[in-house]
Amino acid sequence: MDLALEEIAAAGAAHVEPAFISGYVDFDEGMFAEANGLKLRRTAQNAGLGINAVSAHLDLSGPDAIEALSRRIGFAAGLGASFLITNAGPAANRAAIRATIEAVLPRLEQADIVLALENPGHGSGDLLGSARSGAGFVREIGSRHVRMNHDAGNIFTYSGETMQPTQDIADAIDMVGHAHLKDVVSGAGWAFCAIGDGSVDYASYWAMLPATLPVSVELPLRLKRPGRRDPQRGSAPVDIATIRSTLRRSLDFVNALEVPNVEP
């Protein structure tokens, strides 16, 4: 983790978004103790990085979802994060997902943290399969502490390349509180790559986003999607030179995107 934070800071980033996603990285529920959040916050600060968001996915319809989500809220508070990002769960479990969110709303309000529900990049039948389908659910909850995290790369792959993120977000921007930028090279499978090197149309997407919307660059370079199947974690870590080059190219691309016109 120390090396990762040093590299992210050296690449010119000002913030880092820690991510805890089962199958992508190794961790257990004990990681989400508030003391661990405080420790990670100090480590990031020592590297010159702030933490605005943390991803810690779980199925919000699961039997222990309220307890698990509460742990993650405490962890996010320890990090000093404003956003806690997670998937929601199957559309068939809509009522259970809503009950979980409503149960933790007082804690979100107390910590002043926004729960940002993310659209997935694989599978089917998810409650937030797209921003279009998720916006109505978030509006029903009616709290400023619940919004969507729009993952631009995920909508491209989840839809089987039938939808670019600009098309998906157009009617749901008011319910989006945070965004992830992720890119893939199309082929027989999908390969994750530097932002701007792949098939996701970021020029049009960027022009749609509010100028103040917080975004994170996501580079899951160790994951493979042969045959466009579910993500598989490579057996060996990606070499540091490749990570360093991909991160810097991604940041350079995003920084070069035209900033939307805003009133001074």
Side-chain angles (χ1 to χ4, degrees):
M1 180 63 76
D2 290 353
L3 175 60
L5 295 173
E6 289 171 8
E7 289 289 338
I8 291 168
H15 296 81
V16 61
E17 180 187 316
F20 302 87
I21 305 171
S22 181
Y24 294 6
V25 294
D26 298 323
F27 67 94
D28 58 39
E29 286 295 308
M31 180 64 221
F32 299 116
E34 291 188 42
N36 288 336
L38 289 167
K39 180 180 178 181
L40 180 54
R41 181 181 187 177
R42 287 194 298 268
T43 305
Q45 288 174 336
N46 291 337
L49 297 169
I51 298 176
N52 187 47
V54 56
S55 288
H57 293 331
L58 76 157
D59 181 350
L60 298 184
S61 66
D64 61 346
I66 294 174
E67 181 182 354
L69 187 55
S70 295
R71 277 195 297 271
R72 284 157 172 78
I73 294 170
F75 181 72
L79 289 171
S82 298
F83 294 89
L84 171 60
I85 298 170
T86 179
N87 292 135
N93 297 344
R94 180 189 184 102
I97 293 169
R98 180 163 180 175
T100 296
I101 294 172
E102 291 180 344
V104 302
L105 267 178
R107 187 156 190 187
L108 289 169
E109 293 165 357
Q110 182 180 22
D112 198 18
I113 288 173
V114 174
L115 181 66
L117 305 176
E118 180 177 325
N119 54 295
H122 63 277
S124 61
D126 198 271
L127 179 62
L128 264 76
S130 66
R132 289 176 175 176
S133 63
F137 176 75
V138 174
R139 288 190 185 103
E140 286 177 14
I141 294 172
S143 170
R144 68 179 183 85
H145 287 92
V146 181
R147 286 291 183 267
M148 287 187 292
N149 176 67
H150 193 245
D151 190 305
N154 279 358
I155 192 62
F156 183 72
T157 56
Y158 189 85
S159 70
E161 298 194 7
T162 63
M163 187 178 294
Q164 286 284 354
T166 305
Q167 301 167 264
D168 182 50
I169 200 174
D171 298 326
I173 289 179
D174 61 319
M175 290 294 104
V176 174
H178 194 280
H180 277 170
L181 311 183
K182 184 163 61 214
D183 211 346
V184 293
V185 175
S186 295
W190 286 307
F192 294 102
C193 62
I195 311 300
D197 285 359
S199 303
V200 179
D201 178 7
Y202 275 108
S204 298
Y205 184 66
W206 197 256
M208 289 283 297
L209 299 183
T212 57
L213 186 77
V215 301
S216 295
V217 167
E218 183 179 354
L219 300 171
L221 303 181
R222 192 168 175 175
L223 299 183
K224 311 296 180 186
R225 298 199 61 179
R228 301 187 177 183
R229 295 189 294 274
D230 290 354
Q232 302 172 7
R233 188 186 187 203
S235 58
V238 179
D239 67 272
I240 193 67
T242 299
I243 294 171
R244 185 180 294 143
S245 171
T246 305
L247 175 56
R248 290 184 174 176
R249 289 207 320 278
S250 297
L251 291 175
D252 287 346
F253 176 82
V254 174
N255 287 331
L257 287 167
E258 184 178 352
V259 178
N261 293 326
V262 294
E263 292 295 327

